[in-house]
Structure formats: structure tokens, C-alpha cells
Amino acid sequence: MSLGGDSGPGIVHSLLCHRQGGDSEAFARRAIQSLLRKLKEKRDELDALVAAVTSGGAQPGQCVTVQRTLDGRLQVAGRKGFPHVIYARLWRWPDLHKNELKPARFCQFAFDLKCDSVCVNPYHYERVGTPGGGLSIPRTVSPPCPVKQERVHECVVPMELPELGGETPGCPHRALPPRVPPRSCPELPQATPQDPQAHPERPPAQNGYPKPPQHGPPMLQPPVSTHPGPEFWCSIAYFEQDVQVGEIFKVPSSCPSVVVDGYVDPSGGARFCLGQLSNVQRCAASERARLHIGRGVQLERRGEGDVWMRCRSEHAVFVQSFYLDREAGRAPGDAVHKVYPGAHVKVFDLRQCHRQMQQQAATAQAAATAQAAAVAGTIPGAGSVGGIAPAIGLSVAAGLGVDDLRRLCLVRLSFVKGWGPDYPRASITCTPCWIEVHLHRALQLLDHVLHALPDAHA
């Protein structure tokens, strides 16, 4: 799996998504940045690290090595520690003691081997009990397994972009069958159906270990809207370059999960099979890319309208998501996010979308009113002037239209091929095959927001 043209900040963000708590985010970020600098000339090892962390160990890959120091310790952010322990704490066990690690049999540069290089791949180590401590922790690392053995873990690489049941999102699981954890997945407390917070938005604080007890009942957020939900929670349009192919596929609200794959079953239901769709104008690039869609992606609605995506394909998918833009600290619509095979990531947050549409709609409304006043020369204030010049300054905000707000309610993703500044394709309409997901609950809320705006000309 090659990282291609992924940017350093994008990889840092992706790996930071998987930290398991313990140390501060600032320390974790500096530790990751320090490691990436050491792997700058070792692209294969960097690829292996990203694959191991983002797949939750499903693809442990090769050793990821750093130079051994004289005392064996590494200094990160003014703090010294053994390198394999630092990164095992970061991505697997926040409460790990340095004496609780032993290397997996297949690790060639384990710390204990005293080689000139030290492997820091967290999935090349097992946690064991401390001598005399009575602690016995089951093996959680398996030998390297085929890529096709699909498991999931929360990750995303912005470049610049669960299985149904009661499992915890931060814990890797096989894509099929549901509710059956793989051998390498530690037992986690199962959420009860009555718990509306059964699926947290971020990985658990400790991978495979219970969170510290919380004092008092959990805080339950009220619904974004009490208005009855729509009949269909999303609709999916499939495109090849700039041409829509086939009819729009609608997913009923009674079916919270849908798979979009490259196969040919025409029966619909919870599967949208792109392989069955014909296009007399299909180009060779689309033909080739369609061969690699495979198991595709799974989209799942959670709660009132949040959406999670799992990449079930053996090839990465590329996602345009305002939620991921915000998580990556990017401007809305400014990034394309690469999601690796086996990865599981949240791509849409209804509450955030609702706040954003309210803010943008109100800003546009105020700008339109102020623009009209500027043209009329009636803007109040000591430094104000009338005429066209102030109106030009307000035109950008005032020009925000319904289509701009509607884009907040969409998620777009391209199979196999990416687009943007790191690729020869400038926009998603230049990619061989892609889908656009319209989220109906968000569109319903946008309709309410627009109806609630006062008439600017009243």
C-alpha cells in the first residue's frame, strides 16, 4: 500500500486519530512528527506503519525501525523513553509499563535483539504480565495475515480524505459475519440497546481495556430536531467522470446500513451494486477502475443522522467531507481524504452540519441586507460610505446560495483514484468512478433553516 503523494500533516492527522489516550495530544503529535522525520527516507516502512495502525493490526506489515541510541532511549518533547514503549503506549496501551512488552516471533528488529535499529511497530509486540505481578494479558497480535482478511479501525488520511450490532467502534472487527470478533480483538464491554451513546464518536481511551469509571449518569444530547425523520435516510448517485450512470439509489430509514460495491446483484435492498450498471459511453479508465471496486464501502447511519464509512475494498477510497475537513483543521471543501482498506471513519456529523448551515445562512442573510444598504448609501457608522465599493466587499458573503448550503449535506467519494493537488485529476468529475451521497435528514434540517430566515426585502 503506497502513500503516494500524501502530505506530512495528513499522515500525522491520520495516525493521531488512533492514539489511545494517556499522554496529551500535543505530546502524541510531537512523537508522531519525530517518528515521521526518522522515516522520511524509508517510504516502505512508513507505508507499513500507516497500514498497521489504521487497520488495527490486521496488516502488521514489516518492521518500522529507528536508530538505536547509546542508552536505548529516545527523547521526545523533552521526555526520554524506550522507543518501542512510547509508540506502543501511543497506539495500543496507554497504561503500559516498559517491562510488559515482548516482541512477536516475526519481528526482526525487536528492542530485545540489541540490533543497531529498533522496531517501533506497535503491532510487532505483545503485552505480557509483569514478573510477580500476577497480571496476565492475552495475546493481541497475530502473525501477518492476508490483506483480504478485513477488519476495521478508525482512521483517515487527509491529503490533501461498523458493522451493525453493538460492538465498540474503536475495536477491530471482521467485515463479515457481524457480531463475531476476530481472534486478535480483545473482549470489550458490549453496549446495551437502550444506551443512545452506545457508539462513541472516537476510539475508546484504552484499546481493549475498560475506560475508567465515570461519575454520574452520561450527558445525553437532545436531538437536533424533533421533526419526524424522512422516509429515506440517504440517496446515492453513481458517476463515471462527469456522467451520471443509472438511477439514484435510495436507502430507507428502516435500513441504517448500506453497502456500495462493484458486484452485480440487482435486487437492491441494503446493497447498491455498481457492477450491474451499464454505460454505452464508458471509457477505458472507468472500465479498469470498476474492476477494483470489489467489496466497496459500507455507509452506516448512527443516531439521528451521523454517518460512518468503512472501506471494504482492497484499494483506498478518496472522500470529500466537510466533517473530516474540520477534524483535519482544513477549510471546508479544501481537502480530499484518503481512506485506506479496512479503515472505519466518521464522515458526517449532523449536529456540526446543522450549526454550520445556520451560521452560513445567517451570514448570507446579513450580508445581503448590508449590501443593499451599502448600495443605497445608508450603512450607519462613522467610517461608513455609500455607493458600490462597500457592496463589492459584501458580495462574496451575500452570494452564498442554496447550492452552497446544500453541499454541506453531501459526502462524495471516489473509488481507486484520487483527485486534487496531489493528483493529475483536478476535480472528482475527472475520476473514473465515484458516488455522491445525499443525506436526507440534513437536507430536511436545511429546509427548516431556510424557511426560518426573515425576508431580506421585507
Side-chain angles (χ1 to χ4, degrees):
M1 181 190 308
S2 173
L3 295 176
D6 293 6
S7 66
I11 301 174
V12 171
H13 172 75
S14 170
L15 296 175
L16 196 59
C17 285
H18 296 272
R19 73 183 186 94
Q20 298 301 310
D23 292 314
S24 68
E25 181 176 337
F27 175 82
R29 183 181 296 276
R30 294 182 68 174
I32 293 171
Q33 290 170 338
S34 173
L35 181 55
L36 293 190
R37 284 194 295 270
K38 292 177 172 60
L39 299 177
K40 187 175 181 180
E41 304 301 326
K42 304 177 183 178
R43 199 66 187 186
D44 290 345
E45 294 186 20
L46 179 56
D47 286 353
L49 175 69
V50 173
V53 173
T54 59
S55 69
Q59 302 174 39
Q62 68 185 76
C63 288
V64 178
T65 59
V66 298
Q67 187 71 27
R68 181 186 290 271
T69 59
L70 289 177
D71 64 356
R73 295 185 299 169
L74 185 70
Q75 182 161 324
V76 177
R79 188 189 311 177
K80 273 201 166 187
F82 295 106
H84 63 309
V85 176
I86 290 175
Y87 295 104
R89 284 174 179 163
L90 177 60
W91 286 308
R92 299 195 68 188
W93 307 290
D95 59 344
L96 179 72
H97 189 272
K98 65 181 181 180
N99 296 325
E100 292 179 336
L101 281 184
K102 75 171 184 179
R105 293 189 302 273
F106 52 84
C107 185
Q108 299 177 346
F109 294 92
F111 181 83
D112 295 343
L113 296 180
K114 308 295 183 184
C115 301
D116 290 339
S117 297
V118 178
C119 178
V120 296
N121 187 330
Y123 291 95
H124 279 208
Y125 292 89
E126 305 167 13
R127 189 177 188 181
V128 297
T130 53
L135 176 65
S136 178
I137 299 178
R139 171 187 175 93
T140 59
V141 175
S142 57
C145 57
V147 175
K148 286 187 179 180
Q149 185 176 358
E150 298 207 13
R151 306 177 193 176
V152 299
H153 198 77
E154 294 183 0
C155 84
V156 63
V157 174
M159 298 181 339
E160 5 285 32
L161 239 198
E163 221 40 75
L164 293 179
E167 64 267 22
T168 306
C171 179
H173 287 267
R174 297 180 192 269
L176 291 172
R179 298 181 183 272
V180 180
R183 287 175 296 174
S184 65
C185 178
E187 229 12 78
L188 290 185
Q190 297 296 310
T192 60
Q194 291 79 17
D195 181 9
Q197 299 296 318
H199 300 289
E201 295 182 0
R202 295 190 179 275
Q206 300 182 18
N207 188 15
Y209 298 93
K211 290 182 177 180
Q214 296 180 345
H215 300 286
M219 296 293 291
L220 302 181
Q221 287 187 315
V224 178
S225 171
T226 56
H227 192 279
E231 180 183 0
F232 300 95
W233 71 267
C234 79
S235 55
I236 306 170
Y238 169 65
F239 296 83
E240 292 176 2
Q241 296 181 338
D242 59 351
V243 177
Q244 182 177 333
V245 178
E247 298 180 356
I248 290 178
F249 185 90
K250 294 184 177 181
V251 185
S253 294
S254 59
C255 181
S257 177
V258 60
V259 169
V260 183
D261 60 36
Y263 303 132
V264 295
D265 186 352
S267 58
R271 281 180 64 196
F272 183 18
C273 294
L274 305 180
Q276 59 159 327
L277 301 178
S278 60
N279 178 11
V280 294
Q281 298 178 331
R282 179 167 294 147
C283 65
S286 296
E287 195 72 66
R288 288 193 300 270
R290 282 165 56 84
L291 295 174
H292 299 291
I293 295 175
R295 292 165 62 86
V297 297
Q298 181 185 39
L299 299 170
E300 182 189 3
R301 186 203 69 218
R302 289 190 182 180
E304 191 178 356
D306 295 352
V307 179
W308 291 69
M309 188 199 77
R310 168 183 298 160
C311 180
R312 294 158 42 95
S313 173
E314 292 182 8
H315 297 269
V317 296
F318 301 82
V319 181
Q320 188 176 60
S321 156
F322 288 170
Y323 172 77
L324 291 175
D325 292 343
R326 176 167 176 164
E327 290 295 293
R330 304 289 289 269
D334 184 45
V336 178
H337 305 266
K338 186 174 184 179
V339 181
Y340 285 97
H344 170 226
V345 61
K346 184 176 182 179
V347 295
F348 182 80
D349 185 284
L350 182 68
R351 195 172 297 275
Q352 175 191 307
C353 176
H354 187 235
R355 286 196 302 266
Q356 196 168 354
M357 66 176 64
Q358 285 179 315
Q359 292 168 359
Q360 291 192 13
T363 299
Q365 178 76 10
T369 303
Q371 185 181 31
V375 172
T378 58
I379 295 182
S384 64
V385 293
I388 297 300
I392 294 174
L394 296 165
S395 61
V396 174
L400 189 71
V402 174
D403 283 344
D404 299 288
L405 295 171
R406 187 177 60 85
R407 290 189 190 99
L408 299 174
C409 309
L410 305 178
V411 174
R412 290 172 160 182
L413 71 90
S414 168
F415 295 98
V416 186
K417 300 294 184 180
W419 78 96
D422 295 315
Y423 293 89
R425 294 161 291 274
S427 72
I428 195 171
T429 58
C430 299
T431 60
C433 44
W434 57 282
I435 60 174
E436 184 173 79
V437 184
H438 298 247
L439 302 169
H440 291 197
R441 183 59 166 171
L443 289 167
Q444 187 182 54
L445 295 178
L446 174 58
D447 187 67
H448 296 164
V449 168
L450 294 175
H451 272 93
L453 289 176
D455 186 352
H457 304 289

